[in-house]
Amino acid sequence: RDGVAWVTGAASGIGAAVALELARQGWTVAITARRLDRLEAVARQAEGLAGRIVAHVGDVTDAEGQRRLVETIETVHGPIALAFLNAGIAPPRSGALVDAAGLAAAVEINLLGTARSLAAVCAPMAERKRGRIAVNASLAGYGGRPGAAAYGASKAGLINFCEALQPDLARQGLVLQVVNPGYVETPLLGGRHGGRPFLMPAGEAARRIVAGFGSD
């Protein structure tokens, strides 16, 4: 009743699962990523649910593009009441002892990409003095894991970034949350399930994440 939901990085994995869970609960969900065909495939899975999913192409590396995307979603579908900023990558291991290029790629998408999306959606939400934003980080952001230096560092930066922003956003009437999943069965794992303790199906993770949207 307050508006629509926006989910970034929703062509697969946690983003797609969260979008479908929101649609089950009656939301209109705008999903974005770079591949329209994959987004439309997710949208078709929502047919027959209480809500609906609509697909829009979006690229988190383009700040102005994200601003225009938010403007389009709000013009076509209504104000964004809930944003789940989920777009992210896990760079493959390069074999280099120190993979500076992998770190740069992870920071570009996971940290700066989220910041661009956050800036785009915060502006109209702040004008309305209400809105909820959830940022998908990771438990990997709380401690270094061998083989995931780039991914973990980008997620640690994301957690710190959101912790620092939260009081400012709260003063504007906005709720900022950080979601820190453990291992979730998604394409990000690349089919590697060995050594993944407490591995959770994406659907179960989505149910827990969406339940958390109702908390303060």
Side-chain angles (χ1 to χ4, degrees):
R1 63 181 178 270
D2 293 328
V4 303
W6 175 34
V7 181
T8 69
S12 64
I14 292 176
V18 165
L20 286 165
E21 182 63 23
L22 288 169
R24 287 187 188 95
Q25 297 190 13
W27 284 84
T28 290
V29 188
I31 58 172
T32 62
R34 291 180 294 182
R35 290 280 302 273
L36 182 60
D37 57 335
R38 293 184 180 180
L39 293 170
E40 289 177 336
V42 174
R44 286 192 292 271
Q45 294 179 51
E47 293 173 4
L49 299 181
R52 65 187 181 124
I53 294 177
V54 292
H56 292 266
V57 173
D59 184 349
V60 299
T61 67
D62 180 358
E64 177 59 20
Q66 289 298 93
R67 187 196 66 77
R68 291 195 303 267
L69 174 61
V70 166
E71 186 176 81
T72 297
I73 291 170
E74 296 208 329
T75 299
V76 176
H77 306 294
I80 296 173
L82 167 66
F84 180 50
L85 306 183
N86 164 76
I89 63 169
R93 299 182 69 169
S94 69
L97 187 60
V98 177
D99 184 8
L103 177 59
V107 169
E108 175 65 24
I109 301 298
N110 299 353
L111 179 53
L112 296 179
T114 300
R116 295 181 189 106
S117 303
L118 189 58
V121 78
C122 273
M125 282 185 172
E127 288 182 6
R128 294 188 290 266
K129 298 293 183 184
R130 70 179 182 186
R132 182 180 295 267
I133 303 162
V135 170
N136 198 22
S138 171
L139 286 179
Y142 288 108
R145 180 172 64 83
Y151 179 79
S154 68
K155 294 297 187 176
L158 197 52
I159 294 166
N160 187 289
F161 182 68
C162 291
E163 287 178 341
L165 281 179
Q166 189 275 336
D168 292 334
L169 269 60
R171 282 191 285 271
Q172 298 299 318
L174 311 186
V175 176
L176 178 61
Q177 298 174 295
V178 176
V179 181
N180 288 306
Y183 290 113
V184 178
E185 195 167 0
T186 70
L188 206 65
L189 287 182
R192 302 183 303 275
H193 295 169
R196 292 343 190 231
F198 308 108
L199 181 66
M200 183 179 295
E204 175 60 23
R207 285 188 289 273
R208 296 188 185 205
I209 289 169
V210 171
F213 294 159
S215 67
D216 291 326

